[in-house]
Amino acid sequence: MAGKSFLETAVTVNTRKVAEQTFISTFRSPRISALVEAGQFVMASFPGTIDPLLPRAFSVCDVEDDTLSLLYVAVGRGTRKISELMPGAELILNGPLGNGFPERESGRKIWVAVGGSGAAILPILSRSAKRVGSEVRFFYGARTMSQLVPFKEATNIAHATDDGSAGFHGNVVGLLKQELRRDTPEMLFGCGPTPMLVSMQKEFGTKIPTYLSVETPMACGMGLCQGCPIKKSDSVDYYLACKDGPVFRSTEIEFEVKP
Amino acid sequence: MAGKSFLETAVTVNTRKVAEQTFISTFRSPRISALVEAGQFVMASFPGTIDPLLPRAFSVCDVEDDTLSLLYVAVGRGTRKISELMPGAELILNGPLGNGFPERESGRKIWVAVGGSGAAILPILSRSAKRVGSEVRFFYGARTMSQLVPFKEATNIAHATDDGSAGFHGNVVGLLKQELRRDTPEMLFGCGPTPMLVSMQKEFGTKIPTYLSVETPMACGMGLCQGCPIKKSDSVDYYLACKDGPVFRSTEIEFEVKP
Amino acid sequence: MKPDVKVKIGELELKNPLMTASGTCGYGDELGTYFDVSMLGAVVSKSLTLKPKIGNEPPRVAEVACGMLNSIGLANIGVSRFIDEKIPRLDELGALVVANIAAKRVEDYVSLAEILAANKSVRGLELNLSCPNVKEGGIEFGTDVKTLSSIVKLVRKVFPRTLIVKLTPNVTRIGDFAKAAETEGADGVTVANTYVGMAIDINSMMPKIHTVTGGLSGPAVKPLTMARVFQVSKSVSIPIVASGGIFTWQDVVEYMIAGAAAVEIGTALFTKPDVPSGLLNGIEAYAAGRKLEKLSDLTGSLRFERDNVPHMDRH
Amino acid sequence: MKPDVKVKIGELELKNPLMTASGTCGYGDELGTYFDVSMLGAVVSKSLTLKPKIGNEPPRVAEVACGMLNSIGLANIGVSRFIDEKIPRLDELGALVVANIAAKRVEDYVSLAEILAANKSVRGLELNLSCPNVKEGGIEFGTDVKTLSSIVKLVRKVFPRTLIVKLTPNVTRIGDFAKAAETEGADGVTVANTYVGMAIDINSMMPKIHTVTGGLSGPAVKPLTMARVFQVSKSVSIPIVASGGIFTWQDVVEYMIAGAAAVEIGTALFTKPDVPSGLLNGIEAYAAGRKLEKLSDLTGSLRFERDNVPHMDRH
Ligand SMILES: Cc1cc2nc3c(=O)[nH]c(=O)nc-3n(C[C@H](O)[C@H](O)[C@H](O)COP(=O)(O)OP(=O)(O)OC[C@H]3O[C@@H](n4cnc5c(N)ncnc54)[C@H](O)[C@@H]3O)c2cc1C
Ligand SMILES: Cc1cc2nc3c(=O)[nH]c(=O)nc-3n(C[C@H](O)[C@H](O)[C@H](O)COP(=O)(O)OP(=O)(O)OC[C@H]3O[C@@H](n4cnc5c(N)ncnc54)[C@H](O)[C@@H]3O)c2cc1C
Ligand SMILES: Cc1cc2nc3c(=O)[nH]c(=O)nc-3n(C[C@H](O)[C@H](O)[C@H](O)COP(=O)(O)O)c2cc1C
Ligand SMILES: Cc1cc2nc3c(=O)[nH]c(=O)nc-3n(C[C@H](O)[C@H](O)[C@H](O)COP(=O)(O)O)c2cc1C
Ligand code: FES
Ligand code: FES
């Protein structure tokens, strides 16, 4: 169950380009920072304009004191605009929203696969794992090396690139399959593009307790609009990705793959 | 007849706050700067957004080398947004548009009344008067002193404020009336809020050759939309403020005053 | 002095003209996280159906210029669970509840109205007629004056409290529909539901909404709904609830001047769920600045000349 | 390889699908300042009437969210001056001319069509039916199927070249109107004119447009017109010209996928009068990227399932 959320006028601290088209922006946002957990997200909107109109969903990438950061790929009107915010500029954040990854206990062995902008969850997961003392390994995939964000604080990251320019030559699921021949985690987390999640569900879903952070179009992010259905696996019904997710146990959901 | 116009991506050089809510922004805009005459205007729009959607009309305030400046009162979405442009930011300018004030010849005695954002034409008129050697006096009205822009280059400015905080106590038409008891110009120019123009037309229109720069809502500024009618005085027909104006001989037009 | 901001629709008195729009505030309780929903004139529920409905396949929402398209397909928990689970919660929060209902058969509208009439916490009913009529081959109930009349007449018989008919804007002359609702005894009309719209992803060449077309809402529709509120205000004398693109307090004032007695806030909640409290401050300050004793004096106060409006008679 | 971007409407071949929209480009010649108008598929004139018209009192235009309202009142120089002064100028510029006509009486549409038929430079005619019909008490011609049919039938008799009927979107089922135009021999339909809208200045409490309501155009209407283009494409087989909120080349592609053969650019010209040349580059690159031989293969290429569309039969 999601807890308390706030609507907060966050103030831009800085923005860094961290990879091709990819940015990390930090915002002063004391109330949300104080509560957010790994896998939860915020809805970000711009004060004083209606272009773009709807808020955008972003997983919280990291938290430090009263600031939080977002990692995003500047692909559309919203993300490009965030990347241009000057220090001091305001952004409206609604959060923390949704349910994060399951509680991690000391000593638990967790593997985390991320791809593309899904890498956003890497720093916050790494930080919380250190705190609770669980043992985490990251598997991080991208199309090519220039799209990989170099995370300095986090350790234990294995890379995969489609073109073989860094790390494993192939996608992150291929890399995971290779590693699983040697070892098995207690839990597997996934965050990235839907095809990657579909493939993780198919390959590992029934074998390892797997938790996936799903992405759907979202208009509100907080259960108001019913715009973000995700099929339940056990009945003809939907979850709401924003309220019941975005993290689901892989066995709970079905991806409706378009032909 | 309006001459050649250009659509030019101008680059912000700087923005200065010059009075209460009032700004002067300078843009590098070589093609328009090279051609613009006093009383002509540009239509300004923002690249990459549809908020606001339509271009905004601004009289050119001054020209120097390949730059031009605009003076504006930041009242709405468009003007506020211009006031926030950082040096280097782009603004799309369409111009020069419309017909400026009549040619000034050496030695001609011209009085110019401006009010509010109509003060925009003061620097460019002052500069061109110096060039052709005509003798110009300015009468500059505002509600209160803090709204008066201090123009350093231009000389010969008499002020009027509604509250008497600077110069003549009363409006600019009152000041003109007082001065007209002592002297008479060959031509009278007016640029400012419509009520001021209406009053100038009534008081001086038939006595002195008077030219008024009118303001109407404009969607295009270049004769495409027929959105900017201004009543002809001698027939049941309209001029277009953007193409046939914005400067009209006062006897040519009728103001349709709302009850 | 603070102006009186109360509004009456039928027998129902709202403490102010601000309501939430159906389908944009869940069942009203979710908003409690962001502000005290008892400050609202009313909370309007998601459209309720007799049985729970799972709704349409995704994608259900898409952004467009100054607006959004949706095709939720009436996903809702059904009228029983609403009464059992949500009403007690809304009572607890101090919200004034208006239930919005939808159906594919005339009989179902009546059954829903009966069920909700029995619950005293339901202070008003709003009929959503923008639903495909199964008997008439899928034409919306709200696009046929006769069907609208017959539903309103039947529901009116079984629901004794405030009855509001929500009109679809996708018709040639909305005034005729408002008039029909008034004639059959509705206490008010909501103007208007969403507009049929569509958007395509040019990369996949597929519609951005699973059902191909969806309903357009947001600031883009405000001028359209403004004209309809004005037109309806010339057709009926029952109160009008305006719904379409309200984001700022100025929008509320504009709708009231055009003829609205109250307003519903929809899409704006998605960006700023606490927007209603800010709007109330804004309209109170505006009314105070104008020295209005009653905010309701704004309703229909447009200064215009009848002769200027083309074919005014048709409105 | 560059794709073939030619488009045919009736006998008329356009070099590409980009046209200007009536009333947003003066008489076409003004645009010559900004780009070579001979690059356009066609230039569509301001609506011409038999006698010159001075148009409505100001204010005639107002900005709204992602759009504008206008009520120009058909201000134009009249058909004679158009032929005498503008046609020669447009010929000189190498523009392909489509004349748009409007009238308040059926007979006047016919007279206008006859006059323009006599001038070979007028390659096509577009009928603007969004005008008040004086005989029918001011109801728009375009909101009554029978009136539309009779005008198209009469004009068809006297105008032998390409005849396009511009539909008003302010009707419940636009497909019926398109079908009627096709039946009476129109070569194409333009979808759609502006939407009835309204805005109020809350300080003066007066409408922002002198005629109270005005026509909404711009990006705000794009999703609405997109749905209508799609609906009309399911009703007729003559070419559809899309008009509504086209600002980018993506918008052109989107309309073509929805079912349009050609498009008209309107409000966008006010901000960027040279926008058509940029759009042409964009759509050519898109078509090349998709390895399309003919751009026209895009028309109606939407990937959708009929069953997903609610009451598809009604379209
Ligand atoms: C729970 C959740 C967490 C997310 N976390 C991140 C993150 O940490 N970093 C990041 O870069 N992106 C993240 N996304 C995706 C992000 O919301 C979209 O990439 C972003 O909305 C694109 O915005 P835009 O304005 O740049 O693109 P635009 O193309 O302008 O967006 C237009 C519309 O499409 C929708 N949309 C477009 N792409 C997506 C997408 N992939 N998923 C959902 N909606 C989309 C948007 O909601 C918007 O309404 C997340 C999405 C969800 C649902
Ligand atoms: C020929 C001409 C020259 C002008 N020169 C200047 C100048 O040098 N400095 C300056 O500050 N202003 C000038 N104006 C007025 C200027 O165009 C408006 O003040 C400006 O558009 C307000 O823009 P906004 O976005 O801040 O206000 P908004 O209120 O957001 O504007 C909304 C809409 O209203 C219209 N509008 C609002 N106020 C006016 C107005 N007073 N006149 C015309 N349209 C209006 C705009 O065109 C816009 O479409 C001029 C107007 C014209 C016609
Ligand atoms: C996501 C969404 C769901 C909606 N669901 C309903 C509904 O169930 N019943 C209804 O009568 N209206 C529904 N509407 C329409 C709204 O109540 C409102 O009338 C419309 O969105 C216009 O207002 P707005 O522009 O403020 O959103 C819905 C609108 C949206 C955006
Ligand atoms: C200022 C203005 C004037 C217009 N005048 C006419 C007209 O005279 N005849 C006509 O058929 N359509 C007229 N239209 C409608 C446009 O041709 C076009 O169909 C409509 O604006 C939608 O396209 P857009 O959103 O690209 O502007 C006018 C539109 C505007 C904005
Ligand atoms: S995004 Fe609105 S309910 Fe999930
Ligand atoms: S502003 Fe468009 S014609 Fe003058």
Side-chain angles (χ1 to χ4, degrees):
Chain A
M1 203 15 237
K4 180 83 188 143
S5 312
F6 298 99
L7 199 61
E8 181 158 72
T9 302
V11 177
T12 312
V13 177
N14 63 47
T15 296
R16 294 174 294 134
K17 183 161 186 181
V18 290
E20 196 185 316
Q21 276 203 310
T22 309
F23 299 82
I24 294 183
S25 295
T26 305
F27 302 92
R28 181 149 288 114
S29 183
R31 304 175 88 179
I32 300 174
S33 305
L35 292 177
V36 68
E37 286 175 19
Q40 287 190 300
F41 67 102
V42 294
M43 294 296 280
S45 57
F46 302 94
T49 183
I50 43 178
D51 175 23
L53 186 76
L54 295 175
R56 302 315 202 226
F58 297 99
S59 307
V60 171
C61 171
D62 207 356
V63 174
E64 213 176 326
D65 303 327
D66 60 352
T67 67
L68 59 78
S69 58
L70 307 178
L71 181 157
Y72 52 93
V73 184
V75 289
R77 293 209 315 291
T79 45
R80 267 201 300 272
K81 210 164 157 173
I82 296 179
S83 75
E84 290 161 6
L85 290 176
M86 291 286 162
E90 295 179 345
L91 186 71
I92 296 169
L93 297 183
N94 180 9
L97 296 167
N99 302 302
F101 288 98
E103 289 292 330
R104 293 153 296 279
E105 295 154 27
S106 173
R108 273 211 163 187
K109 208 158 88 183
I110 302 170
W111 287 11
V112 181
V114 299
S117 71
I121 60 159
L122 201 153
I124 193 168
L125 265 181
S126 163
R127 188 183 289 270
S128 74
K130 274 184 202 142
R131 199 176 49 236
V132 299
S134 58
E135 186 196 310
V136 180
R137 285 181 66 185
F138 293 99
F139 301 86
Y140 178 11
R143 205 173 43 73
T144 182
M145 186 162 74
S146 59
Q147 294 178 345
L148 286 169
V149 178
F151 292 107
K152 278 162 215 131
E153 314 268 307
T155 47
N156 237 333
I157 308 178
H159 294 109
T161 52
D162 293 348
D163 64 359
S165 52
F168 178 80
H169 191 156
N171 67 29
V172 77
V173 176
L175 172 58
L176 271 177
K177 278 206 267 190
Q178 175 187 294
E179 292 304 305
L180 280 166
R181 276 182 228 127
R182 284 177 243 171
D183 195 2
T184 312
E186 286 168 68
M187 291 199 286
L188 182 59
F189 297 171
C191 186
T194 304
M196 168 186 144
L197 303 183
V198 170
S199 160
M200 283 182 71
Q201 184 184 50
K202 203 176 120 214
E203 298 285 345
F204 319 120
T206 52
K207 297 171 203 150
I208 309 163
T210 300
Y211 293 85
L212 304 174
S213 177
V214 304
E215 265 191 31
T216 69
M218 287 186 180
C220 75
M222 49 187 154
L224 302 180
C225 75
Q226 308 268 332
C228 57
I230 180 117
K231 195 75 196 52
K232 290 186 185 174
S233 55
D234 58 353
S235 72
V236 188
D237 197 1
Y238 288 109
Y239 290 111
L240 291 183
C242 70
K243 262 184 69 170
D244 303 318
V247 176
F248 292 97
R249 175 90 191 234
S250 153
T251 47
E252 294 173 326
I253 56 170
E254 243 173 50
F255 289 101
E256 294 172 294
V257 189
K258 288 272 136 71
Chain B
M1 208 9 240
K4 181 85 187 141
S5 311
F6 299 98
L7 199 63
E8 182 158 71
T9 302
V11 177
T12 311
V13 177
N14 63 48
T15 296
R16 294 174 294 133
K17 182 160 187 181
V18 290
E20 196 186 316
Q21 275 204 310
T22 310
F23 298 81
I24 294 183
S25 295
T26 305
F27 302 91
R28 181 150 287 113
S29 183
R31 304 174 89 177
I32 299 175
S33 305
L35 292 177
V36 69
E37 286 176 18
Q40 287 190 299
F41 67 101
V42 293
M43 294 296 280
S45 57
F46 302 93
T49 182
I50 45 178
D51 176 24
L53 185 75
L54 295 175
R56 304 314 203 225
F58 296 100
S59 306
V60 170
C61 171
D62 207 356
V63 175
E64 214 176 325
D65 303 327
D66 61 352
T67 68
L68 58 80
S69 59
L70 307 178
L71 181 156
Y72 52 93
V73 184
V75 288
R77 293 209 316 291
T79 46
R80 267 200 301 272
K81 209 164 160 174
I82 296 180
S83 75
E84 289 161 7
L85 290 176
M86 292 285 163
E90 295 181 344
L91 186 71
I92 296 169
L93 298 182
N94 180 9
L97 296 167
N99 301 301
F101 288 99
E103 291 290 330
R104 293 151 297 279
E105 295 154 25
S106 171
R108 273 211 163 184
K109 209 159 87 183
I110 303 172
W111 287 10
V112 181
V114 299
S117 72
I121 60 159
L122 202 154
I124 194 169
L125 265 180
S126 162
R127 188 184 288 271
S128 74
K130 274 184 201 142
R131 197 175 50 234
V132 299
S134 58
E135 186 195 311
V136 181
R137 286 182 64 187
F138 293 98
F139 302 86
Y140 178 12
R143 206 173 42 73
T144 184
M145 186 164 73
S146 60
Q147 295 179 344
L148 287 169
V149 178
F151 292 107
K152 279 163 213 128
E153 313 268 306
T155 48
N156 237 332
I157 308 180
H159 292 109
T161 51
D162 294 348
D163 65 359
S165 52
F168 177 79
H169 190 155
N171 67 28
V172 78
V173 176
L175 171 59
L176 271 177
K177 278 207 267 191
Q178 173 187 292
E179 292 303 306
L180 279 167
R181 277 182 226 126
R182 284 177 243 172
D183 194 3
T184 311
E186 286 168 68
M187 290 200 287
L188 181 59
F189 296 171
C191 187
T194 304
M196 169 187 144
L197 304 182
V198 171
S199 158
M200 284 181 72
Q201 184 185 50
K202 204 177 118 211
E203 298 285 346
F204 319 119
T206 53
K207 297 169 202 151
I208 311 163
T210 300
Y211 293 84
L212 304 174
S213 177
V214 305
E215 264 191 33
T216 68
M218 288 185 180
C220 75
M222 49 187 154
L224 301 181
C225 76
Q226 308 268 333
C228 58
I230 180 118
K231 195 72 195 52
K232 290 186 183 173
S233 56
D234 58 354
S235 72
V236 189
D237 197 1
Y238 288 108
Y239 290 111
L240 292 183
C242 69
K243 261 183 73 169
D244 304 319
V247 177
F248 291 98
R249 175 89 190 236
S250 154
T251 46
E252 294 172 327
I253 56 169
E254 244 173 50
F255 289 101
E256 293 173 294
V257 190
K258 289 272 135 75
Chain C
M1 215 199 70
K2 263 208 176 178
D4 173 7
V5 294
K6 288 196 293 293
V7 168
K8 257 189 121 176
I9 305 177
E11 295 293 298
L12 184 62
E13 190 172 79
L14 310 181
K15 62 173 76 154
N16 64 56
L18 304 181
M19 307 163 68
T20 54
S22 177
T24 63
C25 57
Y27 301 96
D29 52 341
E30 285 90 346
L31 282 180
T33 317
Y34 297 95
F35 72 104
D36 173 7
V37 295
S38 75
M39 68 69 58
L40 287 166
V43 166
V44 182
S45 77
K46 173 79 196 160
S47 280
L48 302 165
T49 50
L50 272 179
K51 301 242 173 69
K53 276 181 75 78
I54 66 160
N56 291 333
E57 278 181 51
R60 291 181 180 178
V61 293
E63 191 178 76
V64 293
C66 289
M68 64 175 282
L69 296 171
N70 89 77
S71 177
I72 306 297
L74 296 178
N76 82 100
I77 55 176
V79 69
S80 311
R81 275 186 64 198
F82 177 73
I83 290 173
D84 297 345
E85 297 169 24
K86 297 298 179 176
I87 295 256
R89 179 89 188 98
L90 289 165
D91 282 345
E92 220 172 273
L93 292 170
L96 189 152
V97 179
V98 170
N100 176 301
I101 59 171
K104 292 197 170 179
R105 303 185 315 168
V106 177
E107 319 72 285
D108 293 353
Y109 277 103
V110 179
S111 310
L112 281 159
E114 274 170 343
I115 294 169
L116 290 159
N119 189 304
K120 288 289 179 297
S121 290
V122 177
R123 306 286 296 280
L125 201 61
E126 185 181 56
L127 303 184
N128 174 5
L129 301 177
S130 300
C131 310
N133 177 343
V134 281
K135 279 214 190 114
E136 299 288 333
I139 290 183
E140 281 177 33
F141 287 110
T143 61
D144 181 66
V145 176
K146 272 188 221 137
T147 317
L148 179 139
S149 293
S150 69
I151 296 178
V152 177
K153 176 182 258 149
L154 293 168
V155 168
R156 179 70 292 178
K157 281 191 193 142
V158 300
F159 193 82
R161 297 187 294 280
T162 288
L163 176 62
I164 303 171
V165 178
K166 186 165 182 178
L167 302 175
T168 170
N170 301 303
V171 296
T172 313
R173 275 178 285 278
I174 194 169
D176 300 348
F177 294 80
K179 189 78 215 153
E182 181 178 45
T183 304
E184 300 302 341
D187 297 305
V189 283
T190 301
V191 179
N193 215 311
T194 54
Y195 293 74
V196 178
M198 175 171 166
I200 298 168
D201 178 334
I202 65 167
N203 294 312
S204 68
M205 294 173 132
M206 281 168 48
K208 287 195 181 175
I209 295 282
H210 179 80
T211 52
V212 185
T213 60
L216 179 66
S217 64
V221 309
K222 196 186 77 171
L224 304 175
T225 300
M226 194 68 65
R228 284 167 172 79
V229 165
F230 175 72
Q231 289 165 358
V232 167
S233 77
K234 302 302 161 204
S235 306
V236 300
S237 49
I238 50 176
I240 297 166
V241 181
S243 170
I246 294 172
F247 273 60
T248 67
W249 65 261
Q250 288 92 338
D251 298 333
V252 178
V253 170
E254 194 177 346
Y255 271 122
M256 293 189 73
I257 295 174
V263 301
E264 289 179 355
I265 302 146
T267 304
L269 297 171
F270 301 164
T271 312
K272 296 204 190 110
D274 66 353
V275 75
S277 44
L279 299 189
L280 186 59
N281 292 340
I283 56 177
E284 279 179 349
Y286 176 89
R290 295 247 153 192
K291 306 213 183 342
L292 298 178
E293 260 177 55
K294 305 198 302 314
L295 184 66
S296 58
D297 290 344
L298 271 185
T299 298
S301 61
L302 184 73
R303 294 175 52 209
F304 77 105
E305 281 164 53
R306 233 185 140 78
D307 290 348
N308 293 352
V309 194
H311 36 90
M312 181 75 201
D313 45 343
R314 118 174 176 202
H315 294 148
Chain D
M1 215 201 67
K2 264 207 176 182
D4 173 6
V5 294
K6 288 197 292 293
V7 168
K8 257 190 124 176
I9 306 177
E11 294 293 297
L12 184 61
E13 190 172 80
L14 310 180
K15 63 175 75 152
N16 64 57
L18 304 181
M19 308 163 68
T20 54
S22 177
T24 63
C25 58
Y27 301 96
D29 52 341
E30 286 89 345
L31 282 181
T33 317
Y34 298 94
F35 71 103
D36 174 7
V37 295
S38 75
M39 68 68 59
L40 286 166
V43 166
V44 181
S45 76
K46 172 80 195 158
S47 279
L48 302 166
T49 51
L50 270 181
K51 300 244 172 70
K53 276 180 77 77
I54 67 161
N56 291 333
E57 279 181 51
R60 291 181 180 177
V61 292
E63 192 180 76
V64 292
C66 290
M68 64 175 281
L69 295 172
N70 88 78
S71 177
I72 306 297
L74 295 179
N76 81 100
I77 56 176
V79 69
S80 310
R81 275 186 64 198
F82 177 74
I83 289 174
D84 295 347
E85 297 169 23
K86 299 298 179 178
I87 294 257
R89 180 89 188 98
L90 288 165
D91 283 345
E92 222 173 274
L93 292 170
L96 189 152
V97 180
V98 169
N100 176 300
I101 60 171
K104 293 196 169 177
R105 303 185 315 169
V106 178
E107 324 67 288
D108 293 354
Y109 277 104
V110 180
S111 309
L112 281 160
E114 274 170 342
I115 294 169
L116 290 159
N119 189 304
K120 288 289 178 300
S121 292
V122 177
R123 307 286 296 280
L125 201 61
E126 185 181 57
L127 302 184
N128 174 4
L129 300 177
S130 300
C131 310
N133 176 344
V134 282
K135 280 216 189 111
E136 300 288 333
I139 291 184
E140 282 176 31
F141 287 109
T143 61
D144 180 66
V145 176
K146 273 190 219 132
T147 317
L148 178 139
S149 293
S150 68
I151 296 178
V152 177
K153 176 183 257 147
L154 292 168
V155 169
R156 179 71 291 179
K157 281 190 193 143
V158 299
F159 193 84
R161 297 186 293 281
T162 288
L163 176 62
I164 303 171
V165 178
K166 187 166 182 178
L167 302 175
T168 170
N170 301 300
V171 295
T172 313
R173 274 178 284 280
I174 196 169
D176 300 348
F177 294 79
K179 188 80 215 151
E182 181 179 47
T183 305
E184 300 303 340
D187 298 304
V189 283
T190 300
V191 179
N193 215 311
T194 55
Y195 294 73
V196 178
M198 176 170 166
I200 297 168
D201 178 334
I202 65 167
N203 294 313
S204 68
M205 294 174 131
M206 282 168 47
K208 287 195 179 173
I209 294 281
H210 179 80
T211 52
V212 185
T213 58
L216 179 66
S217 64
V221 309
K222 196 186 77 171
L224 305 175
T225 300
M226 195 68 65
R228 284 166 172 79
V229 165
F230 176 70
Q231 289 164 359
V232 168
S233 77
K234 301 302 161 206
S235 307
V236 300
S237 49
I238 51 176
I240 297 167
V241 182
S243 171
I246 295 172
F247 273 59
T248 65
W249 66 261
Q250 288 90 339
D251 299 332
V252 178
V253 170
E254 195 177 345
Y255 270 121
M256 293 188 73
I257 295 174
V263 300
E264 289 179 355
I265 300 144
T267 304
L269 297 170
F270 301 164
T271 311
K272 297 206 189 109
D274 67 353
V275 74
S277 43
L279 299 189
L280 185 58
N281 292 340
I283 54 177
E284 279 179 349
Y286 176 90
R290 294 248 154 194
K291 307 214 183 341
L292 298 178
E293 260 177 54
K294 305 198 304 310
L295 184 66
S296 58
D297 290 343
L298 272 184
T299 298
S301 61
L302 184 72
R303 293 176 53 207
F304 76 105
E305 280 164 55
R306 233 186 141 78
D307 290 346
N308 293 352
V309 194
H311 35 90
M312 183 75 200
D313 45 344
R314 119 177 176 200
H315 294 148

